[in-house]
């Protein structure tokens, strides 16, 4: 059976030593995030995830959710009890605003816990995760009355939430939605239509579910500019706040999925359900994107989380499983065979995973810190700078993070050989669960196009220029430190490849937009590699300083330096090949007639 240990030591290293969150104690929420408090939260969250959530992960995957004839849904055995413990411990209130019952702690600390929850039980973590996103959308676009009516109970996780975008005929192109919202004359609307792929759409964890639903009002433009957003509760709410009669929304079926079986992914049918507009009419997509941007960062964390739990189990197996002998001679002559961790190809897979996981964790937490600074930094300039960076990084964290997260889970399955293909070892579940992260909240192709088609050009390229200025400055400083110079020079070369790719787009994409589409995936991966390179430069800098001062756990810091070197040697060179692919352009890719793709008999 698989196991999980929350990577608490690494999370503390990033928060306390690399990001130095204590230095932000002059900002709202950060003043309470002392090092002792952060350590306590991380330790307790790690214990909860390992002892409560991880033990029901495999069983929940096997059992799945059950839809009953009356349309109600029950979650797998143990999920409701675990959720009650989660709610009672206050994990859902950690980063929520204090005025609505939250603890008001920094988003960056909540992101640590989000990784632990997703790694221990991704299907479970999606239930409260969607509530966080729905709450954020209501806080951003709702009236004061809507905030007071819905947010406190959602923060307390007495109620959970969903996001309803996709319909059978439309996914990314939301202008094609058919769900209608007819005014009822009393300020509410009658919502009618069908939504599919609705995660946590129906369940037994809470009595109430608050659905956020995209729909079109009468006479609205027949495009994405005609979409409004509505709050549609599962149960209507009485004046005193108690639950009233069942609203006109029901679960038609549970989707049969490849993974995340413990989460109820539903087809929801709206039959004149009563809803209330959230935000302005025809501006629903902008309001929903508050939720979607938060969700995209959360999905990037899911990619990391599945890579991490798969890595932990692969390491344990590689230390225990004995096959063959080390090429340099028997590592343990007294045994009949050596542990497979002595083999270079197994080390390759494990080191790839370690380098990605630790770099990605740092990138996710740095990104989360930018979210905090976007809202809490003292000056408008600092808030704008943070917003530029996180807007640029969101598709990279989601797209690159989940592509590499899935690849890592597959490689960790490979470490097990044939046993990795057998359910009892748990590795095939990690692969199946990781796969969805590349698809939902906007497929990774959409993330690449968002990065290259929108974010690079935003404000005349202001964001990418700020990114290059930031990384160039840190490289220049590191080149003056003997122990960091080699890494800095290798990273400088990789950044040069990204700059060249950026320039190629500028010179060629206007003449032929397909050049942008053909190279966007490669560019996203170039930027992902460079971004993790920046994180590894920062981690190496801290580790080198600690070793020089003789402070802390020397083995831990030496491990960081070795892994940084591995990243520089094995990951950064890929940027050159990816740039050459990008610069091949779209001509051969788009040359065949559509009929030529069909297989001839």
């Amino acid at each position: 059976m698989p196991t999980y240990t929350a990577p608490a030591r690494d999370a503390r290293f990033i928060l306390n030593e690399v990001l130095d969150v204590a230095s932000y104690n002059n900002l709202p929420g950060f003043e309470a995030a002392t090092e002792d408090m952060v350590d306590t939260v991380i330790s307790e969250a790690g214990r909860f995830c390992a002892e409560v959530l991880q033990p029901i992960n495999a069983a929940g995957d096997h059992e799945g959710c059950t839809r009953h004839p009356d349309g109600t849904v029950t979650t797998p055995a143990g999920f409701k009890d675990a959720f009650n413990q989660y709610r009672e411990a206050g994990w859902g209130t950690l980063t929520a605003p204090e005025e609505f019952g939250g603890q008001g702690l920094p988003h960056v600390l909540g992101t640590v816990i989000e990784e632990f929850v997703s790694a221990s039980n991704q299907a479970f973590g999606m239930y409260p995760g969607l509530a966080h996103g729905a709450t954020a959308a209501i806080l951003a676009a709702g009236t004061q009355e809507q905030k007071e009516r819905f947010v406190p109970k959602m923060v307390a996780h007495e109620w959970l939430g969903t996001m309803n975008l996709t319909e059978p005929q439309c996914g990314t192109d939301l202008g094609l939605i058919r769900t209608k919202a007819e005014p009822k004359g009393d300020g509410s609307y009658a919502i009618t239509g069908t939504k599919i792929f609705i995660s946590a759409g129906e369940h037994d964890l809470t009595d109430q579910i608050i659905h956020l639903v995209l729909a079109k009002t009468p006479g609205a433009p027949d495009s994405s500019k005609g979409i409004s957003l509505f709050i549609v509760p599962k149960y209507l709410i009485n004046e005193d706040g108690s639950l009233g009669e069942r609203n006109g929304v029901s679960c038609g079926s549970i989707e049969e999925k490849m993974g995340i079986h413990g989460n109820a992914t539903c087809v929801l049918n709206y039959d004149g359900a009563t809803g209330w507009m959230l935000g302005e009419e025809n501006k629903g997509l902008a309001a929903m994107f508050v939720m979607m941007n938060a969700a995209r960062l959360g999905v990037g964390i899911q990619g990391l989380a599945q890579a991490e739990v798969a890595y932990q189990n692969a390491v344990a197996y590689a230390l225990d499983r004995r096959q063959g002998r080390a090429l340099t001679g028997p590592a343990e002559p007294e045994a009949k065979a050596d542990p497979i961790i002595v083999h270079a190809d197994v080390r390759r897979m494990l080191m790839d995973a370690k380098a990605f996981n630790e770099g990605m964790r740092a990138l996710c937490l740095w990104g989360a810190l930018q979210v905090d600074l976007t809202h809490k930094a003292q000056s408008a300039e600092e808030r704008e700078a943070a917003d530029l960076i996180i807007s640029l990084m969101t598709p990279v964290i989601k797209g690159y993070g989940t592509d590499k997260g899935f690849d890592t889970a597959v490689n960790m399955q490979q470490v097990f050989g044939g046993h990795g293909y057998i359910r009892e070892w748990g590795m095939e579940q990690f692969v199946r669960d990781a796969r969805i992260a590349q698809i939902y909240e906007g497929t990774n192709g959409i993330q690449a196009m968002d990065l290259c088609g929108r974010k690079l050009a935003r404000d005349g390229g202001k964001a990418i220029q700020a990114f290059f200025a930031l990384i160039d400055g840190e490289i220049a400083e590191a080149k003056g430190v003997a122990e960091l110079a080699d890494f800095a020079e290798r990273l400088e070369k990789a950044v040069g490849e990204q700059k060249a790719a950026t320039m190629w787009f500028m010179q060629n994409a206007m003449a032929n937009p397909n050049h942008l589409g053909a190279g966007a995936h490669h560019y996203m991966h170039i930027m992902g590699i460079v971004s993790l390179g920046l994180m590894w430069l920062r981690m190496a800098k801290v580790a080198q300083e600690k070793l020089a001062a003789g402070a802390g756990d020397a083995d831990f810091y030496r491990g960081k330096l070795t892994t940084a070197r591995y990243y520089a040697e094995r990951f950064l060179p890929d940027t050159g090949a990816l740039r050459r692919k990008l610069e091949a352009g779209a001509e051969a890719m788009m040359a065949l007639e559509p009929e030529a793709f069909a297989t001839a008999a």
Side-chain angles (χ1 to χ4, degrees):
M1 291 292 292
T3 60
Y4 174 68
T5 300
R9 175 68 181 91
D10 201 49
R12 291 190 188 99
F13 167 71
I14 297 166
L15 289 182
N16 297 330
E17 301 177 61
V18 179
L19 298 180
D20 189 18
V21 294
S23 67
Y24 298 96
N25 61 9
N26 61 324
L27 302 181
F30 282 87
E31 72 277 2
T34 63
E35 187 168 329
D36 286 345
M37 190 280 291
V38 167
D39 287 351
T40 299
V41 169
I42 289 175
S43 296
E44 286 303 307
R47 181 198 60 77
F48 177 81
C49 291
E51 296 179 5
V52 178
L53 299 186
Q54 191 277 332
I56 60 173
N57 188 34
D61 174 69
H62 182 68
E63 178 185 346
C65 296
T66 303
R67 178 187 179 277
H68 303 285
D70 64 355
T72 61
V73 170
T74 51
T75 52
F79 270 49
K80 189 167 185 177
D81 178 62
F83 181 77
N84 288 337
Q85 293 183 58
Y86 179 95
R87 180 180 61 225
E88 290 163 9
W91 292 118
T93 69
L94 203 66
T95 62
E98 291 182 272
E99 65 179 299
F100 295 107
Q103 299 179 52
L105 290 168
H107 180 67
V108 67
L109 180 57
T111 299
V112 175
I113 313 310
E114 194 172 351
E115 182 203 333
F116 294 178
V117 171
S118 289
S120 58
N121 195 323
Q122 180 173 322
F124 175 93
M126 292 168 65
Y127 291 103
L130 284 156
H132 288 306
T135 301
I138 295 173
L139 286 171
T143 64
Q144 189 61 31
E145 179 185 0
Q146 288 172 337
K147 294 174 186 178
E148 292 173 358
R149 175 168 286 253
F150 297 106
V151 172
K153 288 185 180 294
M154 295 176 75
V155 166
H157 282 20
E158 293 178 37
W159 299 349
L160 291 180
T162 70
M163 54 193 298
N164 286 231
L165 291 79
T166 308
E167 299 180 9
Q169 78 286 347
C170 73
T172 300
D173 190 354
L174 290 170
L176 300 175
I177 67 170
R178 297 172 184 162
T179 299
K180 298 297 183 184
E182 297 282 347
K184 296 174 69 174
D186 60 358
S188 67
Y189 291 77
I191 312 298
T192 301
T194 297
K195 297 290 184 176
I196 63 172
F197 306 159
I198 308 306
S199 300
E202 174 65 25
H203 54 75
D204 60 346
L205 302 184
T206 57
D207 293 331
Q208 176 73 299
I209 303 172
I210 305 301
H211 303 291
L212 298 192
V213 185
L214 290 180
K216 291 181 178 178
T217 54
D222 190 20
S223 68
S224 61
K225 295 181 179 180
I227 298 174
S228 299
L229 182 61
F230 298 86
I231 301 174
V232 186
K234 175 180 175 180
Y235 286 95
L236 298 177
I237 303 169
N238 297 321
E239 287 300 319
D240 63 0
S242 63
L243 299 186
E245 64 183 41
R246 181 71 187 255
N247 206 352
V249 52
S250 61
C251 172
S253 64
I254 297 176
E255 305 284 7
E256 295 288 341
K257 309 187 299 290
M258 177 179 174
I260 53 170
H261 295 149
N263 194 271
T265 306
C266 300
V267 174
L268 291 185
N269 297 317
Y270 291 85
D271 186 11
T274 300
W276 290 265
M277 188 175 291
L278 179 60
E280 299 179 46
E281 187 171 7
N282 299 334
K283 299 291 180 63
L285 209 52
M288 181 62 86
F289 262 102
V290 172
M291 189 173 183
M292 286 199 64
N293 284 332
R296 285 172 174 175
L297 293 171
V299 172
I301 294 164
Q302 290 177 357
L304 162 64
Q306 294 308 302
E308 173 65 29
V309 68
Y311 166 74
Q312 290 185 16
N313 284 274
V315 169
Y317 186 82
L319 291 168
D320 181 68
R321 176 71 166 175
R322 293 179 178 273
Q323 295 285 287
R325 291 295 191 186
L327 294 177
T328 53
E332 298 182 17
E334 71 283 359
K336 290 185 176 180
D338 290 332
I340 63 172
I341 201 166
V342 305
H343 302 306
D345 193 59
V346 173
R347 288 290 188 107
R348 172 187 63 82
M349 291 186 284
L350 294 178
M351 284 298 293
D352 278 358
K354 181 176 175 64
F356 168 73
N357 290 351
E358 295 177 16
M360 188 65 193
R361 180 171 299 113
L363 183 64
C364 287
L365 293 179
W366 181 58
L369 178 60
Q370 305 313 303
V371 174
D372 281 316
L373 296 178
T374 296
H375 299 289
K376 299 178 180 181
Q378 290 187 316
S379 71
E381 291 77 14
E382 289 173 302
R383 292 192 294 273
E384 181 187 10
D387 183 62
L388 279 173
I389 288 295
I390 193 55
S391 295
L392 181 71
M393 294 307 305
T394 293
V396 178
I397 289 172
K398 195 283 186 185
Y400 179 75
T402 60
D403 277 351
K404 291 298 292 184
F406 177 73
D407 289 349
T408 300
V410 170
N411 279 336
M412 297 305 93
Q413 182 187 36
Q414 186 76 13
V415 170
F416 281 71
H419 290 292
Y421 204 66
I422 304 302
R423 173 178 286 179
E424 68 181 274
W425 290 91
M427 302 304 289
E428 56 87 34
Q429 183 190 346
F430 301 144
V431 170
R432 288 186 288 104
D433 285 355
R435 186 65 183 91
I436 185 57
Q438 297 170 283
I439 297 172
Y440 59 14
E441 307 308 338
T443 64
N444 284 357
I446 295 299
Q447 303 307 313
M449 286 302 295
D450 178 44
L451 172 65
C452 298
R454 294 183 182 142
K455 302 300 173 57
L456 291 185
R458 177 184 173 183
D459 298 327
K462 191 173 183 180
I464 192 64
Q465 290 170 21
F467 176 78
F468 286 146
L470 173 70
I471 198 167
D472 286 347
E474 296 194 31
I475 288 171
E477 181 182 343
K479 286 170 72 175
V481 180
E483 294 84 352
L484 302 177
D486 180 68
F487 187 101
E489 289 168 3
R490 291 173 184 266
L491 180 57
E492 185 175 46
K493 184 175 181 179
V495 175
E497 302 286 9
Q498 185 183 352
K499 290 177 178 176
T502 308
M503 184 61 67
W504 193 88
F505 274 158
M506 291 176 61
Q507 294 171 341
N508 294 276
M510 289 293 289
N512 183 354
N514 278 335
H515 286 324
L516 186 78
H521 171 83
H522 303 310
Y523 188 93
M524 180 177 71
H525 276 244
I526 291 172
M527 188 163 179
I529 293 167
V530 167
S531 299
L532 263 66
L534 174 60
M535 297 302 107
W536 272 113
L537 179 61
R538 291 175 173 179
M539 290 189 286
K541 180 176 183 289
V542 172
Q544 186 272 326
E545 289 172 349
K546 293 289 186 178
L547 286 171
D553 183 348
D555 288 341
F556 177 84
Y557 295 123
R558 280 194 290 267
K560 285 292 180 186
L561 289 176
T562 298
T563 310
R565 176 186 170 191
Y566 182 88
Y567 188 87
E569 294 173 351
R570 295 283 180 150
F571 280 68
L572 292 178
D574 289 344
T575 56
L578 288 166
R579 179 179 67 84
R580 288 189 288 276
K581 287 184 177 184
L582 181 152
E583 292 178 354
E587 291 184 11
M589 186 179 293
M590 304 301 293
L592 292 178
E593 294 298 324
E595 295 78 13
F597 288 91
T599 301

